[in-house]
Amino acid sequence: MTPNAPTLATTAPVDDRVRQVSLVRKLMARPEFGALAGTLLVFVMFAFSAGGSGMFNPEGIINWSTVAAYLGVLAVGAALLMIAGEFDLSVGSMIGFAGMLLAIPALYWGWPISASVVFAFTVAMCLGWLNGWLVVRTGLPSFIVTLAFFFILRGLSLAVSVIFTGKTILSGNGDLVLRDMISQDPVIAFLFNGYTLTGVFNSLAQAGILAARDDGTALATGIPKAVVWWIGLTAAGAFLLARTKLGNWIQAVGGDANAAKNVGIPVAKVKVGLFVLMAFCSTVFAVLQVADAGSAAADRGLQKEFEAIIAAVIGGCLLTGGYGSVIGAAFGALIFGMVQIGIGYTSIDNNWYRVFLGLMLLIAVLFNNYIRSRFAAGRR
């Protein structure tokens, strides 16, 4: 090569298929973006309208986060089921029925409370399996099958409780008190009863960081077990959906079940398993509620199936399946808790609570549909 020979500059080939996507577009493409924006909006709204009322004190936060946690437990199962393209309208009735499955053996059959809890979970999950099996086997819409179970389980809750006890609300039988039985069983009490980190809260109260009672203990007792379950189930569901093969299967089944089946995905097992998970979440709700209230009632869980679905939709889950987020559903449940309890800290009439939730649902559906259509158009 001569010294005067020209040198040719080399440039990397440009791939027209690759383009930079802004951070805003990436965030807006996430299914939970609408729920996060809605949560921030609700937070700001109550910060202005109820900021000095105690709503954002530790005790107030515990109050509305507990309400959100109960619904959030259900929202995890509802979100995963909806992403797979199915619904479960028997959730509310399952809550009441599972409570009776726990209380009757413990109070009237002489069972240990731990055995009664295991019995409640086992029967409820078997019923969840039956729900899923009927949907897959018959090809009927899950809306119809689970609506039938909605009435069946509600009727069974009332009938069984009256047959065995003559009552529809059970808290004790003679010397047996349901609340005491739960608190005295170390395993059940650890999993479902009371609060956690109570010692930490008391230490903070003694240091003057938190408000204290006359005896020096914290006014905010600790983190309720319902919140712990909510966080744990949400984290597990989010990991499953985003990081596992089963999560990919769930989204594929909801997107196109026939295509998923053709590539070897066990569609039936995925759907049945998610109905079992929904029954598990419903029973967790029931046991937590029985442990908190100290009683079981046949009419517990009214309208919880609709609230769980609404939380999932606000969280970005499509009614048609194939798209959604467990984390978004958790934010949807958080909106419920903040609004339901927050209205009590303001001068707003409580009757506006469901009006607000209905508007949030409508806005969330419209927003999610707009973002999804814009994002789909941008990928063409």
Side-chain angles (χ1 to χ4, degrees), residues 311-326:
V313 171
I314 291 175
C317 295
L318 292 183
L319 296 174
T320 53
Y323 185 83
S325 167
V326 174

Side-chain angles (χ1 to χ4, degrees), residues 59 201-202 204-220:
E59 308 86 61
F201 277 63
N202 289 337
L204 293 174
Q206 292 168 6
I209 299 174
L210 296 180
R213 295 185 175 91
D214 293 337
D215 60 359
T217 59
L219 194 59

Side-chain angles (χ1 to χ4, degrees), residues 153-165 168 298:
L153 293 179
R154 186 64 72 191
L156 281 175
S157 299
L158 293 167
V160 168
S161 62
V162 170
I163 289 172
F164 285 100
T165 71
T168 58

